[in-house]
Amino acid sequence: MSATTSTKPEFPWWLAAAAVLALAAALAIASSDLYAEVFATVAKGIGITIFVTAVAFALASALGLGIALMALSGSQWLRQIARFYVEIIRGVPILVLLFWIAFAGAPAFVAAWNALTAPLQSAGLIGELLVRDVSLLWRAIMALTIGYSAFISEVFRAGIQSVEKGQIEAAKALGLSRAQRFRLIVFPQAIRMILPPLGNDFVAMVKDSSLVSVLGVADITQIGKVYAAGSFRFFETYSIVAYIYLILTVGLSLALRGLEQRLRRQHGE
């Protein structure tokens, strides 16, 4: 006689506790002139934080997909180049990479650009590019792009390799080209494996975007740092900074989890 056990979804007590804390913080901000002033000031950096994260993540995903395809190509040279890129970039801390791109990579890029476009500059078609023309905002975005592309490429590579080879062979037998096999067979199935870790990387980038404050980019952290230094309200300011980041990251995590569950239901999992 077999006993059947029904598995009920566990109530998210952690989410309820987090919601209570978030509500209490919101009430404290609304009822306190000091907290309201700090929040209004720090919140001015939300737009920059979202912009840096969205642009850097989109670029990192595109670059990471390209690196992953190189790692899975039939060319040994492309595979070795991809592995070299991934291992080197993953071995450098994001903060160090940020400083290197901002103060070493950007000047080197400007020098190389001017050398390549010297004939056009001599003809008066374009002007000389100066280091100050490359804003610190875009230097920070490129650093995050390069840093995260190495991790994202491994996510894409693992997801693509999870697709059964038998389906790829069947697509070959049907006469589908390599691009058609990837677009119609491989990627639609791989995305279910890719989405959860890719979402985790996106949430992680929201937090790591705070590192751009070391370059003076006016994101949430930088504005909070300047306000705290001028007002000496360190507890209130950094409490608000942490609160805003928590709202962003927890909200994104819940949205991505809901999207993942929806995809699973669509595929009958």
Side-chain angles (χ1 to χ4, degrees):
M1 186 175 179
S2 60
T4 59
T5 58
S6 60
T7 57
K8 296 182 179 180
E10 185 175 318
F11 184 80
W13 290 105
W14 71 269
L15 183 58
V20 170
L21 289 176
L23 180 60
L27 292 175
I29 293 171
S31 60
S32 171
D33 292 337
L34 174 59
Y35 277 104
E37 179 184 349
V38 175
F39 182 84
T41 302
V42 174
K44 295 176 183 177
I46 294 178
I48 291 295
T49 294
I50 293 175
F51 176 79
V52 168
T53 303
V55 175
F57 189 78
L59 294 175
S61 297
L63 181 57
L65 178 58
I67 298 298
L69 294 177
M70 287 175 61
L72 297 172
S73 71
S75 170
Q76 179 182 354
W77 288 105
L78 289 179
R79 293 197 303 270
Q80 291 298 320
I81 291 172
R83 178 51 52 189
F84 175 83
Y85 178 90
V86 169
E87 295 300 334
I88 294 299
I89 297 300
R90 288 199 306 179
V92 180
I94 295 294
L95 184 59
V96 175
L97 188 63
L98 193 70
F99 282 128
W100 193 91
I101 293 294
F103 302 116
F109 169 79
V110 170
W113 173 265
N114 287 330
L116 291 173
T117 61
L120 297 176
Q121 294 178 21
S122 300
L125 297 177
I126 61 174
E128 181 182 5
L129 182 65
L130 302 176
V131 176
R132 65 172 177 266
D133 294 331
V134 184
S135 69
L136 291 173
L137 174 64
W138 282 102
R139 298 185 204 188
I141 288 174
M142 291 312 301
L144 289 174
T145 296
I146 293 172
Y148 268 81
S149 64
F151 295 95
I152 291 176
S153 69
E154 290 295 278
V155 172
F156 278 117
R157 182 185 61 79
I160 292 171
Q161 288 183 322
S162 68
V163 179
E164 295 181 5
K165 292 184 178 180
Q167 299 188 37
I168 300 175
E169 295 298 328
K172 285 182 181 179
L174 292 174
L176 295 181
S177 66
R178 188 181 182 91
Q180 288 175 326
R181 293 197 300 270
F182 180 78
R183 181 170 57 89
L184 300 175
I185 305 298
V186 177
F187 193 74
Q189 297 184 68
I191 192 63
R192 285 181 289 163
M193 299 293 296
I194 291 170
L195 185 61
L198 199 63
N200 291 337
D201 282 339
F202 184 65
V203 174
M205 186 179 281
V206 173
K207 295 184 290 185
D208 280 347
S209 69
S210 62
L211 295 174
V212 305
S213 63
V214 300
L215 300 181
V217 177
D219 70 325
I220 296 170
T221 303
Q222 174 65 10
I223 292 179
K225 184 165 58 176
V226 171
Y227 183 87
S231 64
F232 297 99
R233 296 287 186 177
F234 294 100
F235 176 81
E236 295 85 352
T237 302
Y238 287 114
S239 295
I240 293 295
V241 169
Y243 174 72
I244 293 176
Y245 275 113
L246 280 171
I247 293 297
L248 291 175
T249 55
V250 174
L252 281 171
S253 296
L254 292 175
L256 290 169
R257 190 173 303 173
L259 179 60
E260 179 186 349
Q261 292 175 351
R262 181 179 178 183
L263 289 175
R264 286 181 176 178
R265 286 195 300 268
Q266 287 178 351
H267 292 86
E269 295 182 4

